[in-house]
């Protein structure tokens, strides 16, 4: 504990420390020599470059960060230029011909794509894999000195960048930058520096770096794309913002000719002062802004991996993390530090020794009222420490300090405790995720769980989800889903065994989609298993697309119907329609009434002809007849209409719908009759000839009484209606004499009140009065009222001794009719007496 | 703005806000100025969710109606189509876009399906070669629209036709989805009752959907205690009868659409000084009707015969309030008076409006034709001469009254007689065909398919039994101070609401026999609540029931439900 500062090295006002992460558990025959290494986040990958050993096949090996082997297999494809990892832990192998092969962590091939046609002819010279907010990208430079970019390999859009003037072959060095949501390439060609973006190629000059300083031979950009470092062949090191505007450091280094490998940079999160790590054959050099340096001798050739808060140094035997000591750790552990955290740690140490000095230290912190701060410092520092013992002592100190605070929120303490447990678990060399606390925060828990899942550490992932109480559908379910997708690919198990295993484990976990798992199984060519798994899917809707894909259309249809989602049913139906021959299609529909009626709806709107076939198929004569009737109304020509109606009659006959047969025959007869009239009387009825409903009235109003009479007989129009029609049309045409004659032709089947009312409607009170006397006694009052004869109405009402009617008359009286009112009142009183 | 939604027993504003939020999110997804192309049918329902101002805040600058041809010019970045998932609309959109491309190409197109995305439609767009033109294709789930403080509506016009005629379950699916959304916001409804085929289907879908989302269970204390699903075809009689409440009559005569009614303008001509009173407004007057209007909330559910009294009482109160100003002596009193002025003026104009409407309605209800019609309806409902050809109907046909009136009466007779005798039916049918045209052979056929019109089969007419058991006819309905739901139809109490009432007390078990006579199964389901969410019922606390009509509801039925909720103290929502 006391030696914590032993590994610290001062650089300006900061300290750097290197922590050993792992002793690598691999055994590399040739060390890291002659290998192409891609170590992105946690995983390293090693292969002998094909061009160096043309006779034997190169080997591709995938290890965890602690050196545990994931996969190893001989490389059978073309020469590889560059390796890299995607954000979702997939391995990218960029080949010389521009093909990019994607493998998963376990070395199984996933897919491939090409970086463009022109690359095939002109070979990839160099390639870089980079990460941006859009995902993982690839940049290549070809032997024709052209750059091609793909900013997101999951949504591949290749962009060919403009030509760089004067560039032959590959540039001396280059990096990919992401600035202002734009991806650019910074490259140097001899003494010149260019920025290449989508549209242009601009010469740039970093401020403070003069052409005399030589041409740039190495460049490196920080994890956040914020800082840039350039090294020239004369040994000048330039660092600054990646916008090239502000230079923060310019240093001359004498050892340039021994420069061995690239120079990742590390940014110090707190102090914001960048520093550069350079590596030579046997020496590692950290250069700070203050122009000071720290030197670390190294034994083996190493690989440097830049992280957001440090640099990982991987050698063939171990792995270290070189980082600036976080400020809070400096405060606590710096020799003779008086920071509250340091005092609290000391107090706790004394307390454990049962020494009263504990109280003194505590008092000192309390006097400055810094106890809260002290606890916070301890908790924070614990987060940054890698050693579990240090973590424990810091946390104990914090917990000790907390006892003396009354209203201190325990949140930070509790979260840090939990997170440390998780971090310690994943740092374990059996897992091999050497995350710092800062990285973990940046990464988020979700991604961490994903990473575990990619590495198939399912139990651990589930344990973590449960421990941190992540809602099921975000946590456990997601893990289970991955697990199940992986399980279905196990070729050595039978369908039944897998289905059972999946069902037992996954059960009803919310948010796990059996159809996704089934889709995976289907992808692996296990259709039977897929169907078994689909049976577990609760959402019938989800089963449908896969079932269709697997050509289980019947099943898909019944599942769609079951889901109740009509759109889904439509989708399946339209799919079936294209897939099957008509007969089978109709038969399938017949077994699914819901689908059938939906399809009918569809046909009604879109395909009338098919509708007819459907009805025919089902022998649905009634509907078929209806169909013909509808069709007849669309037909303009009379002959066409008649023939369609005839078909309707035939079908109605088959449907044994006598009434409809009769009605349709009537309609046809009527149409013929109208045509005859049209022919005889000229244009008079042409426009109206299709308006069946107005025929009677029309005829009458045209004065074609004889024809009307005939129709009335032919069509067995009830007397009543005929009388109404004739009454109305005569009144409208004001043929009052004719009307009177008509009224006397026989006893009116509609009574005579109708006559009164119709006359009044046509504003002929005089004519109306003629019929009042003929009205039946019950309607007398109404009739009198209609013609406005109050006295008559009153008489009638009194005669009938009907109180309600009297009331009705009364309500129509105005004060000027006092006589009538009086009579009525008297009559009412008389009735009341009785 | 939508305060009236929050006054009810259940705060429906939550639902409205959820819908608004989703709309805003979608609009923000399309950055820049926008023009919306509307499927005209949707404008009404959307009006209940968001006014133009909300759209404007999100840079909606222009609105068009969806039609064939080129889109009208608009200097906007985004064109958004708000459409129902219908194939014919897709063709129009495709036409819009293909004619557009030649002129501009810088505009972004988006499409928002209401209420649900449809693969079929997307397929159609693809076939037309325009699917790729859309940047965003999204759905806006608008199933249940908060209509008033105690009323939700799907605003789904064709639901009855689809359910009972075309056997198309789309609307049922939407219902189930909508009810799930509702449960997500207001907690799982522990008890579900239902009557009818469609109700059964909806309940099944709901239970299945619940299984599908198992686990992501919401932890909300349930607001509703019971859900009652009723098929419209369980009670076909009620919608056939003429509604006699104030709101019901407005709907019967002028039609209420999406909460708005259009009235003839003559009565509302405002005589302003300076303006010539000669030029009457020719546009129909559009009024919004909901419980935000105090007076309307008071009279909407009254029997129309009681409205006059209520209006004159209100008039007295208002004029008395205006009189107060003469009594206002001190500055304080005057100040108080003035502060109430806007409220009073609003009340006065509301009174004026409703007096005018009431007058308009009265002209019709006092007419002989209306009276005769009502008499016949009531004869049918009481079971008088339902098995003969009715002379009034005959006369109406002869006089060529509007077909809808005839059909309503004929169907009513059929329902009240448990089907018409063959002879009677054929007679009506022939009369209708000869008078209104043979094309109505299809209309009649559809009515038969939907069960509104049916030939009498061997079995006995069970309507009288139903009527007696459920007390559907109350001889002495009190219109002024109602004591039973029958007041809404001046004597007839809607069957659907009787069922609801009996369900609440004493329960359906008492009427098993009658339930069996009505079409479709009846059922009861319980939904398990997460432990800890069981309501601890306080003494005197009331149960809240959600009544859902599959295939539409009448305003009179709503009025009856509101009446029940007051009398029985059991909050009802339809």
């Amino acid at each position: 504990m006391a030696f914590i500062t032993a590994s610290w090295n001062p650089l300006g006002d900061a300290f750097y420390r290197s922590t050993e992460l792992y002793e690598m558990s691999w055994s590399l025959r040739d060390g890291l020599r002659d290998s192409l290494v891609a170590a992105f986040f946690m995983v390293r990958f090693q292969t002998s470059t094909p061009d160096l050993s043309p006779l034997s096949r190169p080997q591709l090996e995938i290890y965890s960060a602690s050196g545990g082997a994931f996969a190893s297999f001989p490389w059978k494809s073309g020469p590889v230029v560059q390796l890299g990892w995607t954000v979702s832990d997939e391995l990218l192998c960029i080949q010389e011909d521009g093909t990019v092969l994607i493998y998963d962590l376990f070395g199984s091939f996933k897919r491939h794509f090409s970086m463009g046609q022109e690359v095939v002819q002109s070979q990839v010279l160099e390639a870089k894999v980079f990460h941006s907010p859009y995902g993982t990208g690839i940049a290549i430079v070809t032997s024709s000195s052209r750059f091609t970019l793909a900013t997101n390999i999951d949504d591949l859009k290749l962009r060919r960048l403009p030509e760089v003037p004067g560039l032959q072959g590959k540039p001396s060095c280059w990096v990919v930058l992401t600035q202002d949501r734009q991806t650019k390439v910074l490259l140097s060609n001899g003494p010149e520096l260019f920025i290449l973006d989508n549209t242009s190629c601009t010469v740039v000059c970093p401020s403070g770096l003069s052409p005399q300083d030589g041409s740039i031979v190495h460049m490196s950009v920080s994890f956040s794309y914020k800082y840039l470092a350039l090294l020239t062949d004369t040994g000048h090191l330039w660092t600054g913002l990646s916008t090239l505007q502000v230079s923060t450091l310019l240093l001359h280094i004498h050892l340039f000719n021994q420069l061995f490998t690239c120079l990742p940079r590390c940014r110090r999160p707190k102090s914001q002062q960048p520093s550069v790590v350079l590596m030579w054959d046997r020496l590692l050099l950290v250069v700070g802004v203050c122009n000071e340096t720290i030197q670390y001798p190294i034994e083996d050739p190493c690989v440097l991996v830049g992280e957001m808060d440090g640099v990982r140094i991987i050698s063939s035997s171990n792995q270290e993390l070189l980082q600036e000591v976080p400020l809070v750790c400096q405060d606590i552990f710096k020799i003779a530090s008086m920071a509250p955290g340091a005092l609290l740690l000391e107090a706790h140490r004394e307390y454990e020794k049962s020494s009263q000095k504990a109280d003194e230290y505590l008092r000192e912190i309390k006097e400055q009222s810094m106890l809260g701060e002290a606890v916070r410092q301890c908790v924070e520092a614990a987060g940054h420490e890698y050693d579990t013992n240090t973590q424990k002592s810091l946390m104990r100190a914090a917990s000790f300090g907390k006892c003396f605070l009354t209203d201190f929120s325990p949140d930070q303490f509790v979260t840090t405790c939990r997170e440390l447990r998780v971090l310690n678990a994943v740092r374990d060399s059996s897992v091999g995720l050497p995350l710092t606390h800062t990285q973990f925060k940046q990464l988020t828990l979700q991604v961490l769980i994903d990473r575990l899942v990619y590495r198939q550490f399912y139990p651990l992932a589930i344990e973590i989800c449960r421990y941190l109480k992540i809602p099921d559908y975000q946590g456990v379910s997601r893990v289970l889903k991955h697990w199940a997708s992986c399980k279905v690919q196990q070729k050595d198990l039978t369908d039944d065994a897998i289905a059972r295993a999946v069902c037992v484990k996954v059960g009803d976990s919310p948010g796990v989609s059996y159809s996704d798992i089934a889709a995976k199984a289907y992808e692996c060519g296990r259709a039977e298993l897929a169907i078994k798994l689909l049976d577990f899917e609760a959402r019938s809707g989800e089963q449908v697309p896969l079932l269709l894909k697997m050509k289980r259309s019947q099943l898909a249809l019944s599942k769609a119907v079951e889901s109740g989602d009509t759109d889904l049913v439509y989708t399946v139906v339209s799919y079936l329609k294209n897939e099957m021959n008509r007969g089978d299609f109709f038969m399938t529909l017949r077994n699914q009434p819901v689908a059938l009626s939906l399809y009918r709806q569809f046909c009604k709107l879109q395909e009338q002809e098919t509708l007819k076939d459907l009805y025919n198929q089902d022998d649905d004569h009634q509907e078929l007849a209806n169909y013909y009737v509808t069709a007849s109304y669309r037909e303009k020509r009379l002959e066409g209409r008649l023939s369609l109606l005839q078909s309707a009659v035939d079908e109605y006959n088959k449907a044994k719908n006598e009434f409809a047969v009769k009605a349709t025959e009537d309609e046809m007869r009527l149409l013929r009759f109208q045509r005859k009239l049209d022919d005889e009387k000229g244009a008079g009825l042409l426009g109206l000839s299709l308006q069946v409903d107005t025929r009677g009235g029309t005829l009458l109003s045209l004065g074609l009484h004889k024809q009307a009479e005939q129709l009335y007989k032919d069509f067995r129009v009830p007397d009543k209606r005929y009388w109404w029609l004739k009454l109305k049309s005569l009144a409208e045409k004001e043929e009052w004499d004719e009307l009177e004659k008509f009224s006397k032709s026989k006893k009116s089947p509609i009574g005579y009140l109708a006559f009164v009312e119709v006359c009044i409607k046509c504003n002929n009170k005089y004519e109306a009065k003629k019929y009042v006397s003929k009205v039946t006694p019950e309607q007398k009052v109404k009739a009198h009222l209609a013609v406005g004869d109050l006295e008559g109405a009153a008489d009638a009402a009194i005669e009938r001794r009907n109180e309600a009617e009297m009331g009705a008359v009364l309500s129509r009286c105005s004060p000027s009719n006092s006589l009538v009112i009086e009579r009525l009142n008297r009559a009412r009183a008389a009735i009341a007496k009785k | 703005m939508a305060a009236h939604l929050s006054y009810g027993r259940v705060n429906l504003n939550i639902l409205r806000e959820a819908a608004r939020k989703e709309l805003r999110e979608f609009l923000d997804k399309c950055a820049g100025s926008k023009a919306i192309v509307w499927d005209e049918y949707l404008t009404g329902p959307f009006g209940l969710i968001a006014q133009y101002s909300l759209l404007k805040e999100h840079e909606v600058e222009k609105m068009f109606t969806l039609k064939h041809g080129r889109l009208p010019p608009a200097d906007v970045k985004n064109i958004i189509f708000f459409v129902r998932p219908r194939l014919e609309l897709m063709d129009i959109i495709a036409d819009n876009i293909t004619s557009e491309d030649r002129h501009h190409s810088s505009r972004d197109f988006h499409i928002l399906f209401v209420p649900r995305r449809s693969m079929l439609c997307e397929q159609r767009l693809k076939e037309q070669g325009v699917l790729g033109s859309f940047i965003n294709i999204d759905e806006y789930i608008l199933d249940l629209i908060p209509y008033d403080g105690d009323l939700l509506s799907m605003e789904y016009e064709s639901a009855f036709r689809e359910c009972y005629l075309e056997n198309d379950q789309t609307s049922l699916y939407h219902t189930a989805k909508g009810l799930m959304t509702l449960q997500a916001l207001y907690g799982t409804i522990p008890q579900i009752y239902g009557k009818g085929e469609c109700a059964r289907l909806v309940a099944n879908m709901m239970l299945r959907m619940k299984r599908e989302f198992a686990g992501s269970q919401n932890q909300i204390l349930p607001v509703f205690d019971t859900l009652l699903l009723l098929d419209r075809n369980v009670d076909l009689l009620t919608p056939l009868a003429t509604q006699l409440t104030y709101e019901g009559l407005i709907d019967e005569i002028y039609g209420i659409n999406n909460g708005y009614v259009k009235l003839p303008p003559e009565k509302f001509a405002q005589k302003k000084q300076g303006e010539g009173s000669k030029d009457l407004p020719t546009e129909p007057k559009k009024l919004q009707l909901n419980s935000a209007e105090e007076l309307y909330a008071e009279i909407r559910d009254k029997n129309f015969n009681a409205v006059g009294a209520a209006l004159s009482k209100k008039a007295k109160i208002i004029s008395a309030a205006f009189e107060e100003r003469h009594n206002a002596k001190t500055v304080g009193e005057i100040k108080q008076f003035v502060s109430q002025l806007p409220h009073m003026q609003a009340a006065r104009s509301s009174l004026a409006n409703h007096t005018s409407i009431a007058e308009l309605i009265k002209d019709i209800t006092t007419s002989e034709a209306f009276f005769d019609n009502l008499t016949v309806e009531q004869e049918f409902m009481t079971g008088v001469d339902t098995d003969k050809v009715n002379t009034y109907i005959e006369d109406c046909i002869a006089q060529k009254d509007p077909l809808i009136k005839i059909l309503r009466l004929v169907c009513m007779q059929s329902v009240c007689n448990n089907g018409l005798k063959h002879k009677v039916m054929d007679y009506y049918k022939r009369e209708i065909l000869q008078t209104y045209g043979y094309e109505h052979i299809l209309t009649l056929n559809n009515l038969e398919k939907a069960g509104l019109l049916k030939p009498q089969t061997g079995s006995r007419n069970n309507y009288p039994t139903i009527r007696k058991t459920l007390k559907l006819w109350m001889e002495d309905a009190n219109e002024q101070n109602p004591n039973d739901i029958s007041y809404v139809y001046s004597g007839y109490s809607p069957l659907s609401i009787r069922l609801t009432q009996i369900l609440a007390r004493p329960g359906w078990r008492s009427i098993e026999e009658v339930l069996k006579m009505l079409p479709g199964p009846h059922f009861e389901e319980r939904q398990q609540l997460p432990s800890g969410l069981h309501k601890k019922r306080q003494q005197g606390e009331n149960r809240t029931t959600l009544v859902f009509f599959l295939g539409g509801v009448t305003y009179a039925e709503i009025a009856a439900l509101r009446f029940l909720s007051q009398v029985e103290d059991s909050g009802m929502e339809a």
Side-chain angles (χ1 to χ4, degrees), chain A residues 353-368:
Chain A
K353 280 191 246 159
S354 317
S355 149
Q356 91 278 9
K357 274 194 194 152
D359 184 51
E360 283 168 31
Y361 282 119
L362 257 180
R363 209 181 291 272
E364 199 175 330
I365 310 171
K366 276 179 126 177
E367 271 163 17
Q368 303 168 39

Side-chain angles (χ1 to χ4, degrees), chain B residues 118-337:
Chain B
S118 137
M119 291 192 241
L120 196 66
C121 288
E122 281 170 47
Q123 184 62 34
R124 174 57 69 97
L125 288 174
K126 202 167 166 189
E127 280 163 23
Q128 303 264 18
V130 293
L131 189 67
S133 317
F134 292 101
I135 309 272
N136 276 315
I137 296 182
D138 235 311
E139 63 181 4
Y140 182 67
I141 302 170
L142 190 69
D143 299 310
L144 287 172
I145 305 169
Y147 199 93
D148 209 328
D150 53 358
L151 185 61
L152 296 167
S153 167
M154 307 251 299
E155 296 296 286
Y156 200 107
E157 261 173 15
S158 51
F160 184 79
R161 188 189 170 88
E162 284 181 8
C163 294
Y164 304 106
L165 185 59
E166 291 164 353
N167 192 17
D168 177 347
Q169 301 177 354
T170 311
S171 62
L172 301 181
Y173 180 69
H174 289 174
T175 307
K177 280 274 186 190
L179 287 168
M180 293 312 285
T181 316
L182 199 71
Q183 291 188 81
L185 290 171
Y186 296 98
T188 308
I189 304 172
Q191 277 183 310
I192 304 178
Y193 291 92
K195 171 76 190 160
E197 295 287 346
C198 296
R200 183 68 260 186
L201 282 171
V202 170
N204 286 349
M205 283 190 223
M206 283 173 67
L207 294 174
R208 203 187 40 249
M209 287 176 192
K210 179 147 192 282
R211 268 207 310 282
E212 291 169 8
F213 295 115
S216 54
Q217 229 164 29
N218 57 3
Q219 299 290 319
I220 302 171
L221 201 68
V223 175
F224 299 103
D225 299 290
T226 312
L227 167 68
L228 171 61
L229 294 165
L230 281 180
D231 269 34
R232 184 69 273 179
N233 76 350
V234 167
D235 172 19
L236 287 171
L237 177 54
T238 309
L240 290 172
T242 307
Q243 312 171 58
L244 292 177
T245 59
Y246 180 53
E247 189 169 40
L249 277 166
I250 297 179
D251 187 42
E252 292 276 344
I253 298 167
Y254 300 107
I256 301 176
N257 276 318
N258 308 123
Y260 285 90
V261 65
K262 283 183 179 165
L263 296 164
E266 297 81 20
K267 282 267 183 186
F268 299 93
Q270 283 182 356
K271 292 183 186 77
K272 277 186 196 152
Q273 289 163 340
E275 264 176 62
S277 55
K278 279 170 211 157
D279 41 21
L280 287 167
T282 44
E283 286 270 299
K285 174 148 177 107
K286 209 172 162 193
L287 269 184
Q288 189 174 17
L289 298 175
N290 60 40
S291 57
E293 197 180 341
E294 198 185 317
L295 174 65
Y296 186 63
E298 205 177 309
I299 58 173
R300 67 197 302 183
D301 298 327
K302 286 198 187 313
N303 186 296
F304 186 68
N305 285 335
V307 167
L311 281 178
S312 70
K313 201 172 109 198
K314 191 80 184 174
K316 272 180 207 137
I317 294 172
I318 290 178
S319 59
F322 272 98
E323 281 306 307
E324 291 259 314
R325 83 189 125 156
H326 299 302
N327 304 334
K329 294 271 158 43
T330 67
V331 178
E333 279 170 351
I334 292 172
K335 207 169 166 189
Q336 200 194 354
F337 177 81

Side-chain angles (χ1 to χ4, degrees), chain B residues 16-27:
Chain B
R16 185 169 181 268
E17 275 312 315
R20 285 166 69 96
K21 186 168 153 243
E22 210 173 313
L23 181 61
R24 282 198 291 263
E25 274 166 13
F26 175 77
L27 288 175

Side-chain angles (χ1 to χ4, degrees), chain A residues 562 567 622-623 693 718, chain B residues 119 208 431 435 439 445 449:
Chain A
E562 203 178 288
D567 184 52
Q622 173 74 25
E623 284 301 334
D693 50 326
Chain B
M119 291 192 241
R208 203 187 40 249
E431 287 287 285
T435 312
E439 67 267 30
N445 193 271
K449 271 198 255 173

Side-chain angles (χ1 to χ4, degrees), chain A residues 562-628:
Chain A
E562 203 178 288
S563 80
D565 182 348
T566 44
D567 184 52
L568 206 57
V569 180
Y570 270 132
T571 310
V572 180
V573 167
S574 64
Y575 178 87
L576 291 180
K577 198 174 126 198
N578 296 332
E579 286 291 300
M580 294 177 147
N581 69 43
R582 222 175 161 106
D584 290 349
F585 175 55
F586 285 172
M587 279 314 285
T588 311
L589 284 184
R590 262 177 92 166
N591 299 327
Q592 291 288 353
V594 176
L596 180 59
S597 51
L598 282 176
Y599 185 61
R600 273 194 198 132
Q601 281 317 107
F602 173 80
C603 290
K604 235 176 229 174
L605 295 170
Q606 306 278 336
E607 292 173 20
Q608 289 279 346
E609 278 304 303
T610 320
L611 191 62
K612 196 170 93 185
D613 297 347
L614 263 179
Y615 292 142
N616 250 326
Q617 157 108 7
D618 294 350
D619 290 331
D620 190 341
H621 301 296
Q622 173 74 25
E623 284 301 334
L624 208 50
N626 287 347
Y627 167 79
Y628 284 124

